[in-house]
Amino acid sequence: MDFSGAFSWMNIRFLLDGLWVTVQVSILSIIFSMILGGVAGTIRYSGIPFVSKALGIVIDIIRNLPLLLIIFFTYFALPQIGIKLNIFWAAVAALTIFESAMLSEIFRAGLNAVPKGQTEAGLSSGLTYVQTLAIIILPQALKSMLPAILSQLISLIKDTSLAVIISLPELMHNARIVYGQNTNYVIPMFVAMTAMYFVVCYLLSLASRYLETRNYNY
């Protein structure tokens, strides 16, 4: 097969443009899902009457839905109720909803791993419950949560490829356009995509391993 021209600067630049969209969607989704997931996990950990249970039901429903279905919902269903998002923000919204549910359980588990005596000590020293969470419980929990959070964020980066279904111009989408114009480029494009995804995800996995080793040594 003739692979000549597959790795031309024009094609590589087009793929890098797609990778940049992937990175932008990932960063925004990470920021929003960390905030929402952290809040949701803290509420569930706190056991607020009714609210914690209702939130737990919603989170369980989201966690057991395919991400692809959530992407379809944000792009095709939300406009039916007056919420119209462009392709980029529909992808960000879908990933944020899904990842927030996943991260909330990581936050809740991390908070539960901190001995209850720490909360009692904080309250007995005159701190409010919120202050105890922010100053004493959360910093300890984050140390054990970080590797799991990074692993989940690696999955998020890979999950951005599912947004190709709504034609988000991310890496997978752009690669499909290239090899759609020349079927001889299918293998080179998959090799290029593999390399790009690997570099980004491997760097994050190295950070995760470092944090795991550091936490273990402590």
Side-chain angles (χ1 to χ4, degrees), residues 61-90:
I61 291 172
I62 294 173
R63 290 176 66 234
N64 287 284
L65 291 177
L67 175 55
L68 196 59
L69 178 62
I70 298 175
I71 292 173
F72 273 124
F73 177 81
T74 57
Y75 189 63
F76 294 110
L78 286 183
Q80 302 300 313
I81 58 173
I83 304 174
K84 186 171 178 59
L85 301 173
N86 62 29
I87 293 172
F88 181 88
W89 287 107

